[in-house]
Amino acid sequence: LPLLASVPAIEEAWRLARQVLLRCIRRRRLEHDIPQLAVCWSLGRWSFCRDEALIEQAFRVLTDAWRRLQVFVDIDDGAGEEERARRRWRDQELAVQLFA
């Protein structure tokens, strides 16, 4: 994925890069890791995308991530209730920013 930062500014190259990005996000199940999803998401430069099929796939990924956040059950990972609430708030804020 770090190579996606070096994609030449050619629309066809970006289309292929976005396809690779979406495939990696799905395979790594990053919709379950919002902070990591946000890092990868920025590599796609989605505001410049005009491919309707790719935009649809991208929205599907974001929708899945948002749904996961809404049904997320806090797992007792040793963090206090306040820390878990803070992380959940952060993840929700990040997810909303990805939609923008």
Side-chain angles (χ1 to χ4, degrees), residues 1-2 18 29 31 42 49 56 61 70 77 83 86:
L1 286 178
R18 289 178 184 117
R29 300 179 51 93
E31 62 271 12
S42 65
C49 183
E56 180 182 350
V61 166
Q70 300 312 305
D77 59 358
E83 174 63 21
R86 188 187 65 73

Side-chain angles (χ1 to χ4, degrees), residues 3-95:
L3 291 176
L4 292 179
S6 310
V7 173
I10 301 169
E11 185 55 37
E12 189 60 30
W14 274 108
R15 190 172 77 69
L16 180 60
R18 289 178 184 117
Q19 288 174 334
V20 169
L21 182 64
L22 288 172
R23 188 174 301 126
C24 288
I25 287 171
R26 286 290 192 192
R27 285 188 179 164
R28 294 180 182 187
R29 300 179 51 93
L30 292 182
E31 62 271 12
H32 296 276
D33 184 355
I34 302 298
Q36 187 62 39
L37 175 62
V39 169
C40 291
W41 198 258
S42 65
L43 296 173
R45 299 183 187 178
W46 292 100
S47 60
F48 299 107
C49 183
R50 301 293 176 251
D51 185 320
E52 292 176 10
L54 280 175
I55 292 170
E56 180 182 350
Q57 290 175 33
F59 270 109
R60 225 177 288 133
V61 166
L62 293 179
T63 301
D64 290 347
W66 184 255
R67 284 185 184 140
R68 189 209 62 83
L69 281 172
Q70 300 312 305
V71 298
F72 180 71
V73 176
D74 284 332
I75 298 170
D76 186 7
D77 59 358
E81 186 176 325
E82 188 175 312
E83 174 63 21
R84 287 194 307 269
R86 188 187 65 73
R87 277 189 272 170
R88 184 180 172 106
W89 179 261
R90 177 206 60 203
D91 287 355
Q92 287 178 341
E93 287 292 314
L94 277 172

